[in-house]
Amino acid sequence: MVQYPQEVLVAIILILRKQEHRIEDKKKITVAAALARLGVSSETHLVLRDGELLTDDALLRDGDTAQLIAVISGGRA
Amino acid sequence: MNVMRCKKCGGKAAVQMKQHNLALCREHFSEWFVEQTERTIHKYRMFKRDERVLVAVSGGKDSLALWDVLAKLGYETVGLYIHLGIEEAEGYSDHSLALAQAFAAARGLRLEVTHVPERYGESIPQMAARTARGRHRACSVCGVVKRHSMNEAAMRLGCGVLATGHNLDDEAAVLFNNTLSWSVDMLLRQNPVLPESPGFPRKVKPLCRFYERESAAYAILNGIEYVYEECPHAVGSTSLVNKALLNQLEQQSPGSKLRFYSTFLKAKAQGAFASGAEGNAEPPPLQFCPSCGQPTTTAGLCLFCRLVDGSAPQE
C-alpha cells in the first residue's frame, strides 16, 4: 500500500510523451487544474483515461492514470 | 459538481469545443465531425460524388481522419503515402507507412506508395543536407518533393482532386506568418480550394474548419492508430512557433483562431486582397518542365528536377 504524506489524499499519474508525472493534492482535481500544474494547455493536449476522452471539468481521482496526447504537429512546407 | 453533458443526448461529453459553445459525447462528436466535413466539401464546392479523390496520407491523425471520413461518406478515394526516408525517431517513415498500410488494409482501401529514396536515390534528409535550400530547413525540400509527388500521382492515377489533411491550426499558422510579412501574393493563394489547371489536380482541404485537437479526438474516438510523434525535422519550425502563439491567444479568448481564419476568408471574398493591385502582380504564366512534364513558373527544369539531378545550388 502506498504511503502518502499526511496532507496528500489524492495522487494522480499523468503520462506525457512516455514520461510519468505525479500530481498530488488534498482533494480530487479537475483535468484543467492537473494540466495547469504541468504547464500544458487543453488547447494542445487531449486527456485519455481508460480509453475515454475527458473534458476540462472532469475530476481525476486518487490512483488515476491518464495519458496526455499532444495534438499539435507542424513543419509542413 | 456538474459533469459536462453532450448537447445532443445529454450523455457524458467527450469533447468540448469552446469556440462553438458545444460539447458532445463520443458518438455524437464523430457524427458531427463527419457531417461538418461534408458541409465544408459542399460549401467550398471541393468535389462531387463522381470524382476520384487522391488523399495524401502521412500516417498522422489529420490525414487518416480525413480518409476515414471520406470513405464513410462514400467518396471514391485512393490514398497516397510518400515515404521520405526519415530514419530518425525510431524509423519515423517506416513506422508511419506501417500505420497507413494497416489503416488501408482494415478498411479495404487502396494505398499507393511513392518511395522517395528508392525512386530518386536519396532520402529527404540527404537531399536537404546536399542543397542550400534544405541545409537549415529540411521542411522546405520536403515540401517541394511532396508537392511534386502528389501532382505526379494524381495525374498517373486519374485523380482530378487532391485532398490534404490541413486543419484550421495549420491554416491559421500559415495565415499568421503571411500576415506578419504582408505577403499579399501568398494570402491570395491561401484557400480551402485551389482550382485545377493543366498538369495540376484541384487541391482541397476538407478539414480546414476543424481545430487540430478535433481531428486528433476523431482519430482516437474512432480507433485510428496514428503516428503520435512529431516529425523530427519539424522541431522548432516556424509553423510550430506560430501555433503555440495562436493557442495562447485561444486559451485567453476561445474562438480566436476560428475568427482569424474565417474572417480572413470572408475579407478576401469581399476583395480585401484584390489581384492586380499595385505591387501585387499576377503570377507568371506556367511552362512545362522538359524533364518531368509538370507545370513550373521557371524556364527550363522545375525546382524538383533541379533538386534531384543535383543542379540546384549546393552552397
Side-chain angles (χ1 to χ4, degrees):
Chain A
M1 188 173 169
V2 181
Q3 295 293 314
Y4 298 139
Q6 237 178 350
E7 69 276 16
V8 175
L9 297 175
V10 173
I12 298 146
I13 302 292
L14 298 180
I15 304 171
L16 175 61
R17 297 187 195 281
K18 296 177 186 169
Q19 282 210 322
E20 288 192 4
H21 302 264
R22 185 183 165 94
I23 304 274
E24 295 177 344
D25 211 305
K26 292 177 187 172
K27 57 185 187 316
K28 293 175 190 172
I29 61 172
T30 63
V31 163
L35 291 179
R37 295 267 285 270
L38 281 193
V40 300
S41 161
S42 59
E43 292 303 326
T44 55
H45 292 78
L46 293 171
V47 181
L48 200 58
R49 180 183 62 192
D50 300 330
E52 275 191 23
L53 283 180
L54 302 179
T55 50
D56 277 2
D57 67 331
L59 284 174
L60 294 168
R61 303 175 295 256
D62 185 39
D64 270 354
T65 296
Q67 192 185 353
L68 309 191
I69 299 166
V71 299
I72 301 300
S73 56
R76 290 181 181 90
Chain B
M1 186 176 183
N2 291 329
V3 175
M4 206 176 291
R5 294 284 167 194
C6 172
K7 197 166 184 175
K8 278 203 165 179
C9 68
K12 195 171 155 191
V15 186
Q16 182 189 17
M17 291 157 286
K18 290 178 190 165
Q19 77 278 21
H20 299 307
N21 193 25
L22 178 67
L24 294 169
C25 67
R26 182 187 194 106
E27 183 192 341
H28 286 118
F29 172 77
S30 294
E31 196 178 282
W32 174 85
F33 193 92
V34 173
E35 285 169 4
Q36 291 297 314
T37 305
E38 186 151 55
R39 281 184 67 172
T40 301
I41 292 167
H42 291 161
K43 179 181 169 79
Y44 295 106
R45 297 182 179 139
M46 291 184 166
F47 46 88
K48 292 180 185 157
R49 294 255 159 217
D50 59 353
E51 293 184 282
R52 179 185 288 175
V53 181
L54 182 67
V55 187
V57 291
S58 64
K61 63 188 187 309
D62 303 298
S63 55
L64 291 181
L66 171 62
W67 200 9
D68 187 77
V69 171
L70 295 184
K72 276 180 184 160
L73 287 170
Y75 288 103
E76 185 189 352
T77 59
V78 180
L80 172 69
Y81 178 85
I82 303 169
H83 193 299
L84 304 167
I86 296 171
E87 293 175 358
E88 301 99 309
E90 299 170 14
Y92 184 80
S93 290
D94 285 342
H95 178 49
S96 48
L97 170 61
L99 292 171
Q101 286 173 324
F103 175 93
R107 290 159 180 79
L109 297 169
R110 176 182 172 192
L111 178 70
E112 289 282 320
V113 179
T114 296
H115 199 294
V116 172
E118 284 177 8
R119 191 159 178 174
Y120 303 109
E122 273 183 320
S123 68
I124 293 296
Q126 288 168 330
M127 233 179 258
R130 178 173 56 77
T131 55
R133 168 176 276 268
R135 193 73 40 81
H136 302 293
R137 42 182 193 146
C139 297
S140 175
V141 165
C142 189
V144 172
V145 173
K146 283 199 286 196
R147 281 191 290 274
H148 175 90
S149 301
M150 289 188 284
N151 286 333
E152 183 278 325
M155 296 297 115
R156 176 167 46 86
L157 298 166
C159 298
V161 182
L162 169 68
T164 56
H166 291 89
N167 56 53
L168 192 141
D169 288 65
D170 296 324
E171 293 299 297
V174 168
L175 175 58
F176 184 65
N177 208 44
N178 290 336
T179 305
L180 279 179
S181 54
W182 287 112
S183 304
V184 176
D185 54 337
M186 300 296 282
L187 291 167
L188 270 170
R189 282 203 289 272
Q190 189 177 357
N191 276 310
V193 180
L194 284 178
E196 62 271 45
S197 57
F200 283 141
R202 188 181 322 135
K203 292 171 184 158
V204 300
K205 302 168 185 171
L207 303 188
C208 68
R209 296 181 68 84
F210 290 116
Y211 281 7
E212 196 148 13
R213 67 193 302 278
E214 291 154 19
S215 55
Y218 179 85
I220 291 166
L221 293 175
N222 287 274
I224 297 171
E225 276 198 62
Y226 67 88
V227 60
Y228 280 22
E229 295 77 25
E230 181 55 85
C231 171
H233 294 278
V235 176
S237 68
T238 308
S239 106
L240 285 178
V241 172
N242 289 342
K243 284 183 178 183
L245 287 168
L246 290 166
N247 277 316
Q248 280 182 27
L249 189 61
E250 183 75 21
Q251 183 105 25
Q252 296 297 316
S253 175
S256 296
K257 291 185 294 190
L258 178 61
R259 278 195 300 278
F260 183 42
Y261 181 59
S262 58
T263 54
F264 158 70
L265 291 180
K266 199 175 283 180
K268 195 157 58 137
Q270 291 168 351
F273 306 99
S275 179
E278 192 179 348
N280 179 23
E282 288 288 329
L286 291 176
Q287 306 171 49
F288 290 92
C289 172
S291 176
C292 69
Q294 284 202 16
T296 172
T297 53
T298 54
L301 291 179
C302 69
L303 181 54
F304 171 80
C305 288
R306 282 184 280 134
L307 260 180
V308 296
D309 83 350
S311 61
Q314 308 290 304
E315 298 300 330

